[in-house]
């Protein structure tokens, strides 16, 4: 296969160094998770990154150069056994053709063109909106508001007890715009939300201030794999881990026994701390969202 565009050719010494660096970086999270699984110890904050999100630890450690890059050298040929890789011809500086290994763009688009287009639409719509910073994390509280049997998601103590948790919800405006947070509201919590997000309205409602929309950048990164460069996937995972910590520290749960101090969003000081962190995450997310959009556009343009 000959690429008609001008791909980036990566020498073996360069891309194997990037691969090793990616594996070391991901092991910051993957290795402790593997040890917890081995010993049967659950983590109320970090397990979410491996259970709610579907990417496996093994695939997380697998570095990809991404769309538009070609790996040179004998070591690259192992990837011909990986899904959606193929031999790719790239023109060298002397005008001659050098054969390497890279993303099989036609095969990728044959399988995932519609998905890549949908992700581009969602990310582009989100990037075009102003962030909203007045929710104060009430989505987590609405997931625990006046629960009925089977509606409590985590066996963790509540900082303010059930009555105190209910009172906080009733004292605040709940305005969650994210379907995958809203769908976990209790039956009593649903009517308290000012919005009714659905999968069909996701592109109309998702906004860059939302913690869950920011965490989901990691989901879109691995959904686009192996077209996503490994460094971008790792950056998205690192942001999701940081956001997840704030999400749970600002929740009704008491996580002090696990080393997490609460962000008491029921207080003015807690609200200010939450919004400051939320704005910082939105700024980081904006950069990653643009990088993911570039992956989508490179794919679709190549098609």
């Amino acid at each position: 296969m000959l690429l008609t565009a001008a791909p980036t050719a990566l020498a073996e010494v360069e891309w194997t160094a990037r691969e090793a660096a990616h594996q070391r970086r991901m092991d910051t999270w993957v290795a402790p998770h593997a040890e917890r699984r081995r010993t049967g110890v659950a983590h109320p904050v970090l397990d979410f990154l491996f259970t709610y999100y579907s990417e496996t630890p093994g695939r997380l450690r697998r570095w990809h150069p991404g769309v538009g890059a070609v790996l040179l050298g004998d070591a690259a040929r192992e990837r011909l056994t990986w899904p959606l890789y193929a031999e790719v011809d790239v023109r060298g500086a002397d005008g001659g053709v050098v054969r390497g290994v890279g993303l099989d763009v036609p095969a990728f688009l044959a399988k995932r063109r519609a998905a890549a287009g949908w992700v581009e639409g969602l990310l582009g719509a989100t990037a075009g909106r102003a962030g909203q910073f007045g929710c104060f994390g009430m989505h987590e509280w609405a997931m625990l508001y006046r629960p009925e049997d089977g509606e409590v998601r985590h066996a963790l103590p509540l900082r303010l007890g059930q009555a105190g948790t209910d009172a906080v919800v009733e004292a605040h405006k709940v305005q969650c715009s994210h379907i995958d947070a809203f769908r976990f509201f209790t039956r009593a919590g649903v009517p308290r939300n000012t919005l009714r997000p659905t999968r069909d309205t996701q592109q109309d409602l998702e906004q860059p201030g939302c913690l869950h929309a920011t965490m989901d950048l990691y989901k879109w990164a691995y959904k686009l794999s192996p077209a996503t460069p490994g460094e971008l996937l790792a950056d998205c995972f690192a942001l999701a881990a940081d956001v997840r910590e704030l999400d749970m520290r600002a929740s009704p749960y008491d996580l002090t026994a696990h080393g997490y101090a609460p962000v008491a969003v029921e207080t003015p000081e807690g609200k200010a701390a939450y919004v400051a962190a939320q704005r910082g995450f939105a700024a980081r997310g904006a950069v990653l969202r643009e990088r993911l959009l570039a992956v989508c556009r490179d794919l679709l343009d190549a098609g």
Side-chain angles (χ1 to χ4, degrees), residues 141-157:
W141 297 72
M143 295 177 192
L144 289 166
Y145 179 67
R146 300 187 182 278
E148 300 176 19
D149 288 345
E151 288 191 317
V152 176
R153 298 177 61 221
H154 303 291
L156 294 167

Side-chain angles (χ1 to χ4, degrees), residues 129-147:
R129 281 187 197 104
Q132 302 299 310
F133 302 100
C135 69
F136 307 121
M138 284 296 115
H139 58 279
E140 288 290 338
W141 297 72
M143 295 177 192
L144 289 166
Y145 179 67
R146 300 187 182 278

Side-chain angles (χ1 to χ4, degrees), residues 220-245:
W220 307 130
Y222 73 73
K223 291 289 187 183
L224 292 168
S225 182
T228 306
E231 292 83 359
L232 176 54
L233 175 69
D235 288 346
C236 290
F237 188 95
L239 178 56
D242 290 344
V243 173
R244 171 62 177 170
E245 180 177 328

Side-chain angles (χ1 to χ4, degrees), residues 157 216 250:
D216 276 356

